[in-house]
Amino acid sequence: MASLADESIIADFVAESREHLSSVEPDLLAMESLGAKVSQEVINRVFRAIHSLKGGAGFFAFEALKKLSHAMESVLMLVRDGKLSPAPDIMDCLFTGVDRLRAMLDDIQASDNVPFAKELANLEAILSGKGVNLGETVKGREKGSKRDFDLDAESVRSALRRGMNLYRANAYLHRDIKDQGLTPLAFLNNAMSVGACLDAFIDIDAIADLENCLEQDLAVTLLFASVLEPDLAALALKLPVEQVKVLEVKALKEEMKAKAKAAKAAEKAEPKAEPGPRQEAPAPVAEEPVAEVEPEAAVEDKPEARGGAAMKEGGNETLRVRVDLLTNLMNLAGELVLGRNQLVRAVTDYQNEIPGLGAILQNVNQVTTEMQEGIMQTRMQPIGTVFNRFPRIIRDMSRQLSKQIEVQIEGAEVELDKSIVEMLVDPLTHIIRNCADHALETPAERKKAGKNPTGVIHLHAFHEGGQINIAVNDDGRGIDAKKILAKALAKGLVTKAQAAEMTDREIVHLVFAPGFSTAETVSDISGRGVGMDVVRTNVEKLGGHVELETEVGMGTTVRLRLPLTLAIIPSMIVGVADHRFAIPQVNVVEFVWVKASEVAQRIEHVQGALVLRLRDKLLPLVRLADVLGIQRLFLDAATGEMRPDRRASIADRRGDAPETPEEASTRERDRRTDWRSDHNIIVLRVGKNHYGVIVDELFDIEEIVVKPLSTFIQGTKCFSGATILGDGRVIMILDAGGLSTAAQLHFTDLQAEEIRRLEEEKRSAALKASRRRSVILFEAAKGERFAVPQDHVLRLERILRSRIELIGDREYIEYRGEGLPLVRLDRHLEVRPLDKGLEELFLVIPKVPGQNSTARPPAGILISEILDALDVEVELKAVEFTGPGLLGSAVVQDHLTLFLDPVNLLKAAGLMGGDAA
Amino acid sequence: MASTQSDSSVLRIPSGGNLVASTVEERRKAAMDALEAPCTQAVLDLTDAEVVDSLGITLILGLFKTCQKRKVAFSVEGANADLMRVFKLFSLPKLFPIREK
Amino acid sequence: MSQFATFHVGARLFGLDILGVREIIRVFNITPVPRSEPHIRGLINLRGQIVTILDLAVRLGQEGTPVKDSSHIVILKHTANASGAQAQGQGASQDLMGLLVDAIGDVVEAEATLAEAPPANLSDAEERFLSGVLKTEAGLLVLLNVQELLSSG
């Protein structure tokens, strides 16, 4: 029967009821924790929420929903009236009731099938204990005034369809209109601007005759429809709150029903079978214009506390908007941006000819940008919508686990894209459950450890660097790296060799490894075979990261870093042949440019696969063109045309017999004749693995708006979406994970090879390290040779002797606008002075360890000539005439050469003051 | 409210300008005086009225009530568009006929 | 009487109920999608919305033809999701589809109920996508089964 009713109204009712329930939960928690001290306002809020749910349920004839909410309402009424204290067992009944209501709302048409007998029985037991019989409480109704509204069925229906509330508003002609300085017209115009007046009446009996009329204050009663909530409606109508009352749709309907019932008096046995649907119901009203509508005891459900709620809600007025509407708006905004770009391009040349055009363009530009941002923001939702469900979960868990847990929430107002908020529910729930189940100790354990018996779970969301951080912190037992490692070893997640090289931090992060679960037993609460790996996978799917910080005995913090929105992501635009692709920046680790001359050294083949050597690591490498099956182009030197590159692709070659050295050398030659021998490589991240992608060209990083892919294209796996560039061009967004799968990359194969090479390099490097140095060779006095290690030199400068100034007995030269003290070697070492006749001298400016290259150097060492810069392999010998700043001596290029330690030399010269520290 | 238009029994009450706080008391007295004469029908003529405020409406309603008590048919004439709007929104036409200017 | 938008692919004239056609546009800047199925011609930007273009010829088992001056794209009102079993996600409303055709014909009025079954000499690929044949003044009009055309596979 409800299926005949207007689906969209029911959908609205369900959505609204869900909101009611989500607000009920925190209030119930407050009731429980504060007990009798809880403010009346909180109880009233719960009461009203349940009440309006009941009203809607009654209206749409959802019997189960109605019965249960009615019982809950009755219990709440007792609590409100102080006849019942909110003890935990009573709260349990209310909480489970809320759960049942939610279950009913989940499939509203089947809501009668949700079992609720137990919950109802519990509630009724409470009620009968207080002498309340459910059957009676519904009937307490206020008798309405003598005359009531003429209900125009269609306008009521249309108002309801548009999500409006119906109000009965009393406006006193004197007090509310004249005394407010309004004319009746102004009052009505104002009312019409915030809603619709469906009907009005003045009680004839109340009107005094001409003789006395001016002394009275007549009330006009309006049937007013508005999307505004009651408190706001009153505010908007400029009427006192108590004069604006919600007309319960249920009450309206019951009246209609009653009429219908009277019409066919015979069938009264089955009240459920009454015509429930709204389409039929208003009909009798139309036939009988004066419907006796008795609003449900308004005093009961709209208490004064409403005013308090008005303050709360008034600050955050909202409208319900369909998501597809916003999506469409977002598309249009994107198009507008495009149009703006074209406009700007088209008219830029006329800027000088048309006065003021520049300013207009700038304005259009600004407004467009702001509009786009604004529309983006409409999709944002506060993280609180997720956070706020946790106190309830924790409350249930703490009762089950006999633990005392407090949930603290910070930053609930931080906003994220709706889709991200929705996708965070599961990972966060898992983390929170873990906290309560595993991390926090029992009160006894906590006392023993000298902690407060109540454990704290702290949820904190905040902005940082254009991202959202969510930290879930507990003050529990922390994660013991040793235990984790033992488990990981037992499960074969790591080898002993790997374990030996792992830091504690790395070990702790093993909890994110697939198949890891530290719970000794699978508990009812968190261990359901899904572990933290699911958390990580989910968060990474959103383009985020998870991290863990823990200290044994002190607690654990799980940190999530997430993008603000999935809809707009900064991406690198790359080109292959004439194709363009976007790579989300979160996937990009770095960009490597391999010069043509280095290609042979840095790119090689390991087991038939292309590999890049990058800082002692071997990185699997793919050509984007090959993975995607795009024909590579090269510039034909002979014709100057782009022509297809016929070389076999890597993908083609894979799986073939190992190539002969001959083939390899042919290809090597091939590559050198490639039109673009320099390689642009983008290093991408997939989970913990990295790989390189060779592309032809790199363009800018752009903020792109992600558009979902058609189902037709999702099968390609290489793309995560598409986007429209500023020039209107559609391009695909590459999916780093999909791409590596498509390229059949095997990350593990490389690791063994990498380790082998690393060890080999370590050995040879260790051998050389002791002797090999890069030095700068110079002369001070003629024939006396010095060397200074290159990594001790910041710069070499040529100066004119005439520029040297003497202050006291110190020499200075102006260097970058400041006086730089000069050091002569002969003043500190037993060497000959520089030739007096030299007009041109050189300065060695030493590099001070720990100082960056832009800092002011402490001094310069005067020399006469720079001879060479070279690598030498020498064993330094001690010098007989050791002095400060000498490392030793060695024979270089057949000359005895003194090796300087410039920093010590300057120290000896007293020139390494405070800034050298 | 189909009433016979017999001149002898129709009492026309001119509004004599706006029906607002400053004028209502005077108009009330005038109306009371006018109603002393026997009639079967009373017509309030708002042709001269630009504005009718809350007190004005109260006055009209009082007039209506008195007429009702005395079994005199009451109606309003010559209401301008703004006044019509107010009357309609207050559903006054359900109580007595109101004719627009 | 129903109205049919007609268009040429190869030598044949095809028709779609005009109520199922969102608009018809000239071909411009189709971005190819690497690794997609052959009948996916690519994507276009239709006033800020991305439209997936099917190459009707390829879909019907013929050789794909290069885009000509006369080529057009028939943007459908159906979306791929609406016809498939795909869940109605956020993107559902955006999943616009277009058919690349060689040329556009006139709008033809005909009685849809007079349509005959497709001739028996069709390949399997064709049979799946055709719903019938209508004799019209413009010639033999082959009616397309949009639901099938847009079902994946």
Side-chain angles (χ1 to χ4, degrees), chain B:
Chain B
M1 287 270 184
S3 58
T4 45
Q5 290 266 334
S6 122
D7 278 344
S8 63
S9 59
V10 176
L11 173 70
R12 295 196 75 83
I13 305 171
S15 72
N18 292 341
L19 288 182
V20 294
S22 53
T23 63
V24 281
E25 183 50 34
E26 177 199 326
R27 298 322 306 164
R28 186 184 68 87
K29 281 189 181 135
M32 282 188 70
D33 292 346
L35 278 173
E36 291 301 312
C39 60
T40 54
Q41 198 182 351
V43 177
L44 174 66
D45 186 352
L46 291 178
T47 315
D48 298 336
E50 284 288 316
V51 181
V52 174
D53 72 359
S54 297
L55 284 168
I57 288 177
T58 313
L59 178 68
I60 295 172
L61 289 169
L63 197 55
F64 160 66
K65 186 73 176 192
T66 300
C67 288
Q68 201 186 34
K69 273 188 183 166
R70 298 184 188 180
K71 308 260 186 284
V72 172
F74 176 71
S75 62
V76 174
E77 276 184 15
N80 68 25
D82 279 353
L83 293 178
M84 241 5 241
R85 184 172 151 85
V86 172
F87 294 158
K88 275 184 185 160
L89 285 169
F90 281 165
S91 297
L92 298 189
K94 283 183 198 162
L95 302 178
F96 42 83
I98 301 178
R99 277 178 291 275
E100 206 169 339
K101 202 186 298 193

Side-chain angles (χ1 to χ4, degrees), chain A residues 254-289:
Chain A
E254 271 182 1
E255 287 309 321
M256 296 163 182
K257 236 182 184 177
K259 303 267 177 199
K261 215 184 225 169
K264 33 179 180 172
E267 305 166 22
K268 60 174 181 179
E270 275 257 296
K272 265 193 184 178
E274 282 303 325
R278 304 185 26 74
Q279 282 91 332
E280 280 180 49
V285 181
E287 288 158 22
E288 283 179 68

Side-chain angles (χ1 to χ4, degrees), chain A residues 372-527:
Chain A
Q372 197 187 19
E373 282 169 3
I375 291 171
M376 290 296 169
Q377 272 169 10
T378 59
R379 287 182 52 87
M380 303 298 254
Q381 271 195 335
I383 189 79
T385 54
V386 185
F387 279 6
N388 290 341
R389 66 179 63 202
F390 295 130
R392 167 67 198 282
I393 291 175
I394 293 305
R395 181 244 176 218
D396 288 356
M397 286 184 74
S398 52
R399 270 174 82 83
Q400 275 182 53
L401 297 163
S402 308
K403 291 181 181 176
Q404 295 171 17
I405 306 172
E406 187 193 335
V407 181
Q408 296 173 349
I409 291 176
E410 199 179 334
E413 72 288 347
V414 167
E415 290 191 323
L416 278 165
D417 191 272
K418 180 182 162 62
S419 50
I420 298 185
V421 170
E422 280 163 5
M423 286 198 270
L424 271 178
V425 172
D426 286 346
L428 278 178
T429 309
H430 190 85
I431 295 170
I432 299 281
R433 283 173 176 268
N434 260 338
C435 286
D437 198 10
H438 305 309
L440 292 174
E441 312 89 331
T442 62
E445 284 171 323
R446 291 183 64 90
K447 266 188 205 152
K448 217 167 145 192
K451 293 182 183 179
N452 186 326
T454 301
V456 175
I457 299 176
H458 185 92
L459 286 159
H460 184 194
F462 57 100
H463 287 269
E464 191 182 73
Q467 284 191 308
I468 297 288
N469 279 260
I470 298 173
V472 182
N473 169 266
D474 66 66
D475 63 348
R477 53 171 71 102
I479 300 175
D480 188 346
K482 281 191 213 99
K483 274 193 188 167
I484 300 286
L485 188 57
K487 194 128 277 178
L489 286 169
K491 297 205 172 193
L493 295 172
V494 287
T495 64
K496 276 224 159 90
Q498 283 172 312
E501 295 205 340
M502 287 175 90
T503 62
D504 274 6
R505 192 182 153 76
E506 284 169 330
I507 292 168
V508 166
H509 277 82
L510 283 174
V511 300
F512 292 117
F516 193 95
S517 169
T518 48
E520 303 288 327
T521 55
V522 172
S523 88
D524 178 37
I525 290 179
S526 50

Side-chain angles (χ1 to χ4, degrees), chain A residues 234-253:
Chain A
L235 215 65
L237 286 173
K238 303 182 179 167
L239 291 175
V241 180
E242 62 274 10
Q243 282 171 229
V244 178
K245 289 180 177 149
V246 179
L247 271 185
E248 292 293 336
V249 179
K250 175 198 167 197
L252 281 176
K253 193 205 161 197

